[in-house]
């Protein structure tokens, strides 16, 4: 009888695990999404060389100097690496419309300093002094849903490299 009870417990455990995985997939969540929720307010995580994100949806495109996307995501996602042969100025025109959650666009310097370009819904233009080396532009969200348009203007000493998401 004890073997039968152990067998039933193992089967119930397997069924429960299957149901949890099935629920996770159907809701668009994953087991590691909690760590992505912690990224938004932590510059040390944002400055990391890699990305960590979960998209429920993303439509649009990211090109050499423009991005035009609709999204629903949590985490951080690099849109461009910026190679600068010397210190230069980068102009970013932006228009974001955020309908849910927290959202920002940041630039990370070669020294891993994080500066916010825009937060939440915003429209405008910003001149950013970038240092010689490789900088990165990331979008960062916490349950963020919305639209984003960015356009980069730069001198011949600056080379943006679009990152395909």
């Amino acid at each position: 009888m004890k073997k039968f009870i152990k067998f039933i417990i193992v089967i119930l455990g397997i069924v429960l695990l299957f149901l949890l995985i099935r629920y996770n997939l159907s809701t668009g969540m994953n087991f590691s999404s909690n760590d992505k929720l912690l990224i938004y307010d932590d510059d040390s995580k944002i400055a990391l060389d890699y990305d960590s994100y979960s998209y429920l949806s993303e439509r649009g495109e990211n090109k050499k100097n423009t991005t035009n996307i609709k999204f629903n995501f949590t985490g951080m996602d690099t849109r461009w690496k910026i190679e600068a042969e010397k210190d230069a100025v980068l102009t970013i025109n932006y228009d974001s419309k955020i309908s849910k959650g927290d959202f920002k666009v940041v630039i990370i310097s070669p020294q891993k300093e994080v500066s916010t370009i825009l937060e939440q819904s915003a429209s405008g233009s910003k001149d950013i002094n970038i240092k010689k080396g490789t900088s990165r532009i990331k979008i960062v969200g916490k349950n963020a849903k919305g639209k984003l348009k960015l356009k980069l203007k730069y001198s011949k000493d600056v080379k943006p490299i679009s990152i395909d998401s």
Side-chain angles (χ1 to χ4, degrees):
M1 187 68 170
K2 287 184 180 183
K3 286 184 179 182
F4 180 72
I5 292 173
K6 285 182 182 179
F7 175 75
I8 295 296
I9 291 172
V10 168
I11 295 298
L12 287 174
I14 291 170
V15 168
L16 180 61
L17 182 61
F18 174 77
L19 290 173
L20 282 172
I21 290 170
R22 179 103 170 136
Y23 172 75
N24 244 10
L25 293 174
S26 68
T27 60
M29 299 293 285
N30 64 38
F31 289 115
S32 64
S33 64
N34 284 342
D35 64 326
K36 292 171 190 61
L37 291 171
L38 301 175
I39 292 171
Y40 190 83
D41 295 312
D42 190 339
D43 283 352
S44 68
K45 288 184 173 134
I46 293 169
L48 293 171
D49 290 332
Y50 60 86
D51 293 329
S52 178
Y53 52 80
S54 293
Y55 278 94
L56 291 178
S57 66
E58 179 191 22
R59 291 191 321 259
E61 59 187 0
N62 200 59
K63 294 182 178 178
K64 180 179 178 182
N65 69 328
T66 62
T67 192
N68 185 359
I69 56 171
K70 291 181 181 181
F71 55 84
N72 188 349
F73 91 112
T74 294
M76 60 181 175
D77 187 8
T78 302
R79 301 317 270 185
W80 289 285
K81 287 186 178 180
I82 309 292
E83 300 285 343
E85 294 176 10
K86 61 181 184 178
D87 291 0
V89 175
L90 176 70
T91 301
I92 301 178
N93 296 320
Y94 53 86
D95 183 21
S96 66
K97 292 177 177 57
I98 307 306
S99 59
K100 179 182 134 194
D102 296 316
F103 178 78
K104 62 185 170 182
V105 177
V106 300
I107 188 162
I108 299 117
S109 74
Q111 296 76 30
K112 304 226 186 259
E113 297 165 341
V114 178
S115 301
T116 300
I117 298 169
L118 70 95
E119 202 156 3
Q120 295 306 102
S121 295
S123 187
S125 181
K126 191 175 263 192
D127 290 331
I128 299 169
N129 295 317
I130 57 173
K131 300 286 184 188
K132 177 182 178 181
T134 302
S135 298
R136 292 168 289 132
I137 296 176
K138 288 187 178 186
I139 59 173
V140 184
K142 183 163 54 171
N143 297 318
K145 182 176 182 179
K147 301 177 188 178
L148 175 67
K149 291 181 184 178
L150 295 174
K151 184 168 186 175
L152 308 180
K153 294 181 181 177
Y154 46 88
S155 68
K156 62 181 172 66
D157 300 316
V158 176
K159 179 182 173 189
I161 301 166
S162 172
I163 306 298
D164 293 327
S165 297

